[in-house]
């Protein structure tokens, strides 16, 4: 298993941790009536999860390509 493959679970765990941070932080309405919610945690979570899938796809594709060339 290539070393770069270990990056994928780390990225996935980071994305899930960001989603959990969003869930536990919650939202509230301030005195002016504006909704305060950490939407950036959702976007960053999706970014890390998609990056994890991309790294995993590249690793699997590279391994398959090497096996086919043999």
């Amino acid at each position: 298993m290539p070393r770069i493959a270990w990056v994928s679970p780390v990225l996935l765990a980071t994305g899930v941790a960001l989603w959990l941070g969003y869930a536990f932080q919650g939202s509230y309405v301030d005195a002016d009536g504006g909704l305060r919610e950490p939407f950036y945690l959702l976007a960053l979570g999706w970014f890390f999860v998609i990056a994890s899938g991309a790294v995993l796809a590249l690793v699997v594709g590279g391994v398959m390509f090497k096996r086919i060339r043999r």
Side-chain angles (χ1 to χ4, degrees), residues 13 16 25 27 29 33 36-38 42 44-45 50-53 57 61 63 69:
V16 170
Q25 190 170 358
S27 61
V29 177
R36 301 293 177 195
E37 197 164 10
L42 288 175
L44 283 173
I50 291 171
S52 170
V63 169
R69 290 194 63 188

Side-chain angles (χ1 to χ4, degrees), residues 8 11-12 15-16 19 42-58:
S8 183
L11 291 173
L12 182 63
V16 170
W19 286 339
L42 288 175
L44 283 173
W46 276 111
F47 173 76
F48 280 102
V49 168
I50 291 171
S52 170
V55 168
L56 185 62
L58 288 173

Side-chain angles (χ1 to χ4, degrees), residues 2-24:
R3 286 188 203 173
I4 191 76
W6 293 103
V7 173
S8 183
V10 171
L11 291 173
L12 182 63
T14 303
V16 170
L18 287 168
W19 286 339
L20 289 173
Y22 173 80
F24 286 122

